[in-house]
Amino acid sequence: KQSSRDGTNEQKAKVTFKSISPKKFTLTLDPSLFAPPPQAQTERLNGATAADIDILWRKGQFFVQFGGAYHLQAGSTNQAFAPFIADELNRSQSLGILLRALFHSVLPLLIVERVIVDGILDFPAIIPGTFVIVPRSIYSVRIIVMARYGIELGFMGRDIVTFEDASQFLLASLQAHSPLSPIANFDKLTTPLLRNYKAKLGLDQDPPISQLGWVTHSYNTPVSRHQRVDQNAAPAKRHAIVCVHSRLHLLSSQIFRYIQQLLIFDPPLK
């Protein structure tokens, strides 16, 4: 039984049990969550579709395979997620980690992928290299846009997702300049959304976060003395856009449209 405490009961219709055998069981994701091409939702290969998830037991450990026998053709980001899920599954020996990954990481990522692929952006997102989605763990994904800007997507659980400027993470880890450009005014990205929301409802004051479904959070990140050029410099300030799953499509559209505008006015060198 799925727990209501972490919100998974609200998502249960999106993941269904399909089959079981001594060394394998299969779950199926709601095909409507997938981005085009539509044949990835319906075409079958040996009885499997791109929406299937196989959990296999081989040589004393779990393996996770998205797309079933279809996974080589599917080529989705989820397949890149599979080794991280399998690693956590083998470490914890609990299927709860699998449900956590599906409900709180895979499903939100599918929503973001739809924003990118469905043509909401004006420039063709399906061109290889335009968007590169790199899973880093079951809790984090990095999205690189035109090798210029990056978004760090964090899956917090309890229907919470965060967006952060990935250049700040690389700057700290590389102890030098980041290969990604900072996203200007990232902390103000939700201002137009808030203004439109208030105008639509005729509000004079900002609504509570529980009603709005998103908030921009600023925090200080300590930098080690080995990474800091100026030993007297203040800790780096980062900004995170925090939203619930129901606002994920809206926030993703706003963020990537804004990045598109930055690329139009300052395109990367060819």
Side-chain angles (χ1 to χ4, degrees), residues 126-197:
I126 57 174
I127 292 179
T130 302
F131 286 86
V132 179
I133 303 179
V134 184
R136 304 179 65 230
S137 72
I138 66 170
Y139 308 104
S140 177
V141 165
R142 183 168 293 160
I143 304 176
I144 309 298
V145 186
M146 294 291 288
R148 170 67 71 87
Y149 298 104
I151 293 293
E152 196 80 10
L153 202 61
F155 307 116
M156 303 292 104
R158 297 182 179 271
D159 291 340
I160 301 295
V161 176
T162 62
F163 296 87
E164 298 188 65
D165 182 354
S167 69
Q168 301 303 310
F169 288 83
L170 293 177
L171 181 63
S173 62
L174 293 176
Q175 304 182 18
H177 70 280
S178 170
L180 297 175
S181 299
I183 301 174
N185 299 316
F186 186 82
D187 57 321
K188 299 179 175 62
L189 270 176
T190 59
T191 300
L193 296 178
L194 177 59
R195 184 169 55 246
N196 294 339
Y197 186 86

